[in-house]
Amino acid sequence: MKITSVAFLGFVLAALIVFRLFPAGKRWWVLLAASAVFYLTHSVGGFFVMLLTALLIWFAALRVQKKKDGFSLWLRENGETADRETKKEKKEFYRKKQKRIVAAATGITLGILFLCKYYGVYASGLGDLFHIKLWTAEGILLPLGISYYSFQLIGYLVDVHRGVTDAERNPLKVILFGGFFLSVMQGPFCRWDALTPQLCAENDRKLTFDEYRSAVLKIVGGYIKKLCVADQFAPIADEVFMNYTQHKGFGTVLGVVCFAVRLYADFSGYMDIIIGVGQLFGVEMPENFRQPFFSNNMAEFWQRWHITLGAWLRDYVFYPILKSNAFKKMGKALSAKAGANAARTIPTYLGLLILWTLIGLWHGPELHYVFGVGILQFVYIFLGEITRPVFTKIDRLLHLDGRKLPLRIIRSLRCTLLMMFAWIFFNASSVSAALEMLKNMFAQPKPGQVTSVFLAAGVDGQMRTLIWFAVCIALTVAVDVLHEKGISLREFLSRKPYPVRLAVYLLLAFALIIFGAYGGRFSTGDFIYTGF
């Protein structure tokens, strides 16, 4: 069931009607059934793999909770008589047992993820390298959203261990959290204590008409991003990246620009649809984008792009790495030999390198993912940090104010160009293909380079299409400028007279029909991040 299909809209409408018919305390059953139906329409086998993972995490969380309760019981019975050292030893005893459970369940979950998503690529590569025959896991199942629900469930287990939340005794609620149909396909990454209370709310909060209208407008805005922007840029981007040896100069540049616009419109459009549908059910899904191309530096860019992935990895990977015994020992050794500054910065940068390598691997096992959205991003951030004092001095000498519009535009363009460079590796089929594309971009300009791309992509009306591309980019920038200024278009529209609102609604409907993938020759494709 594609998110862009009429079947999905019918599915959401039917689920919403049933959801509202149920009493408040029982509505999570409707969400559970809807999530199961949604997942089963994509993959029956994958559904049972997801189910198995959720049950494993549910059982492990209960075991962790039992150990925590065991220590609390011991403390109540012996707290007054036991000395401080005994209490400390007993606490550590129970904590080690918890850690073993968390490590085992996390290891199994990541093992399933590795087997389904990564093993085949590595087995094939090692077999070719050492001329040995390995099981390549050919045809093995890749469950929908396995990278998303695996991390979410691991986060829940760790939160139980940390005492952020108590273990849930009902396995169906853990299954709902892991397989919720609005987050399982491509996020956003949700936290148990933020999402589950909304899914299983006891109170009957009825939405107002304005809230329903706002949610629908959010959904429509997402579909416009996907169908009227992303899917229109897709044929050019696909042609250039798939047949990169055939295109040179401005033709290659056009393909790279089209992919950048497509990726942003595709991913942020999906998130708008998901957030809007969630609002219909009274569930506030976390935002995943906040005008990323207005960032001043690359560190800020990743605080605005795929926000929930970065936050999850920061809290569950980066900070634990820095707090690990190995990194503490490293810090002490560096402090003694190189000083406090080295003891602080070197472990941090090493932790960042590990973090970004994992982010690249999360996208896929191939080297072009590991480099493009992994190691290269670390290099950007590292260079940005070590050169910051130099640029700060230059700004002072030249009396440049980073808050002024000209310098902000320059810095935003710098971030955009750096990410477009990285996305060449991200979207290319291999590192060698990306390097070939980079070489082709700087080939000598010749007449017809852009035209050849349009002809090869089967896109008619070159000038008309280029104008539409320019309009799409201008509108996207304009909307982001308003959002950056804190202006909500939905709230702004809600304050206008009814004839104005009606005209806008009709305009949006015609845009979807005429310019979207349902009109013309274009056909809608899958969302890019569904593959991760």
Side-chain angles (χ1 to χ4, degrees):
M1 188 190 303
K2 284 188 175 182
I3 300 292
T4 52
S5 67
V6 176
F8 177 75
L9 296 177
F11 163 77
V12 169
L13 180 60
L16 185 61
I17 292 171
V18 178
F19 180 82
R20 291 299 172 187
L21 291 175
F22 269 60
K26 303 294 183 183
R27 286 175 178 168
W28 68 272
W29 285 93
V30 179
L31 296 178
L32 178 64
S35 299
V37 170
F38 179 82
Y39 206 113
L40 287 167
T41 61
H42 287 86
S43 171
V44 175
F47 174 77
F48 287 103
V49 175
M50 185 274 293
L51 203 63
L52 177 66
T53 305
L55 290 174
L56 167 68
I57 296 296
W58 163 76
F59 178 74
L62 286 180
R63 297 297 298 171
V64 169
Q65 187 68 52
K66 186 176 180 180
K67 300 304 176 186
K68 293 170 73 71
D69 294 342
F71 174 68
S72 298
L73 177 62
W74 180 90
L75 201 59
R76 284 197 301 270
E77 293 176 349
N78 304 278
E80 295 182 0
T81 58
D83 57 31
R84 184 176 180 181
E85 191 62 31
T86 302
K87 290 178 183 177
K88 186 177 179 180
E89 289 177 0
K90 205 67 177 179
K91 182 178 181 180
E92 187 61 25
F93 171 77
Y94 279 102
R95 190 166 184 81
K96 283 183 177 179
K97 285 183 174 259
Q98 294 175 47
K99 286 182 176 180
R100 290 192 192 104
I101 297 169
V102 172
T106 300
I108 294 171
T109 301
L110 293 178
I112 295 171
L113 172 61
F114 177 82
L115 178 63
C116 294
K117 185 174 179 179
Y118 300 93
Y119 173 81
V121 174
Y122 292 135
S124 177
L126 289 172
D128 293 341
L129 180 63
F130 295 105
H131 305 288
I132 56 176
K133 190 173 183 180
L134 296 172
W135 177 57
T136 59
E138 185 176 352
I140 197 168
L141 181 68
L142 180 61
L144 174 72
I146 187 171
S147 297
Y148 293 93
Y149 71 70
S150 296
F151 278 23
Q152 278 197 180
L153 289 167
I154 289 172
Y156 158 66
L157 178 60
V158 173
D159 282 347
V160 173
H161 170 60
R162 290 175 176 174
V164 175
T165 186
D166 290 332
E168 174 57 55
R169 299 197 173 277
N170 190 335
L172 295 179
K173 290 185 178 180
V174 178
I175 293 170
L176 172 59
F177 170 71
F180 184 45
F181 74 96
L182 293 182
S183 63
V184 72
M185 181 174 281
Q186 57 184 64
F189 285 91
C190 300
R191 310 294 178 95
W192 173 271
D193 57 336
L195 180 61
T196 307
Q198 298 185 77
L199 300 180
C200 305
E202 297 289 337
N203 60 313
D204 185 13
R205 191 180 80 82
K206 292 182 172 62
L207 299 183
T208 65
F209 175 77
D210 287 341
E211 288 175 316
Y212 275 116
R213 179 177 59 192
S214 178
V216 171
L217 285 175
K218 185 79 170 178
I219 295 168
V220 171
Y223 278 120
I224 286 177
K225 284 183 180 179
K226 168 62 176 170
L227 302 177
C228 300
V229 181
D231 285 350
Q232 308 303 314
F233 283 75
I236 302 297
D238 288 344
E239 169 59 31
V240 171
F241 276 88
M242 290 174 64
N243 301 303
Y244 58 91
T245 60
Q246 306 300 316
H247 303 291
K248 311 282 184 182
F250 292 131
T252 303
V253 172
L254 177 64
V256 171
V257 172
C258 283
F259 176 74
V261 177
R262 177 197 180 187
L263 179 63
Y264 177 55
D266 185 280
F267 200 4
S268 64
Y270 172 87
M271 289 301 161
D272 287 347
I273 296 169
I274 291 305
I275 290 171
V277 173
Q279 289 171 351
L280 294 176
F281 290 91
V283 177
E284 289 295 328
M285 304 293 287
E287 289 282 357
N288 227 6
F289 291 90
R290 195 176 68 254
Q291 298 77 252
F293 294 108
F294 293 165
S295 305
N296 286 304
N297 52 64
M298 295 309 299
E300 182 184 348
F301 180 91
W302 283 101
Q303 294 169 0
R304 291 168 172 259
W305 177 282
H306 213 336
I307 298 169
T308 57
L309 172 62
W312 192 97
L313 289 168
R314 179 196 65 208
D315 294 341
Y316 296 103
V317 177
F318 181 61
Y319 289 157
I321 286 175
L322 294 186
K323 293 176 182 177
S324 66
N325 290 331
F327 271 67
K328 286 180 181 178
K329 290 178 181 178
M330 182 196 307
K332 289 180 180 179
L334 288 168
S335 179
K337 294 182 179 180
N341 186 54
R344 184 179 62 256
T345 56
I346 292 177
T348 299
Y349 287 136
L350 181 57
L352 281 173
L353 177 58
I354 295 171
L355 174 68
W356 281 107
T357 303
L358 290 174
I359 289 176
L361 283 170
W362 178 85
H363 286 84
E366 294 84 357
L367 185 58
H368 63 99
Y369 289 128
V370 177
F371 178 75
V373 286
I375 295 172
L376 183 58
Q377 302 304 317
F378 164 77
V379 172
Y380 286 161
I381 294 171
F382 175 73
L383 292 177
E385 288 298 316
I386 64 174
T387 58
R388 180 179 295 180
V390 176
F391 283 105
T392 300
K393 288 182 180 179
I394 293 174
D395 290 347
R396 287 174 185 167
L397 288 172
L398 300 178
H399 303 289
L400 299 175
D401 188 350
R403 294 170 296 181
K404 296 293 180 65
L405 185 60
L407 191 55
R408 288 174 60 189
I409 291 175
I410 291 172
R411 289 174 175 173
S412 296
L413 287 173
R414 178 185 62 188
C415 287
T416 301
L417 291 173
L418 288 173
M419 282 310 303
M420 287 172 65
F421 174 79
W423 283 332
I424 294 174
F425 291 89
F426 170 74
N427 195 48
S429 57
S430 65
V431 171
S432 60
L435 293 174
E436 181 71 18
M437 286 187 66
L438 287 170
K439 186 180 76 173
N440 290 343
M441 286 176 67
F442 296 99
Q444 183 178 358
K446 293 180 181 179
Q449 288 176 336
V450 173
T451 303
S452 68
V453 173
F454 277 84
L455 291 174
V459 179
D460 299 326
Q462 177 180 325
M463 185 53 64
R464 182 181 69 248
T465 303
L466 288 173
I467 292 172
W468 174 244
F469 284 179
V471 169
C472 287
I473 294 172
L475 288 175
T476 301
V477 171
V479 170
D480 276 3
V481 166
L482 293 175
H483 288 165
E484 186 73 2
K485 292 180 176 292
I487 300 172
S488 170
L489 291 178
R490 290 182 291 167
E491 292 179 5
F492 176 78
L493 183 61
S494 68
R495 295 192 293 267
K496 295 301 177 184
Y498 176 74
V500 175
R501 297 201 306 270
L502 180 61
V504 173
Y505 299 154
L506 291 174
L507 180 64
L508 293 175
F510 281 124
L512 282 172
I513 295 170
I514 297 173
F515 299 108
Y518 295 136
R521 301 183 58 221
F522 297 102
S523 60
T524 184
D526 290 333
F527 287 92
I528 294 173
Y529 263 79
T530 302
F532 304 122

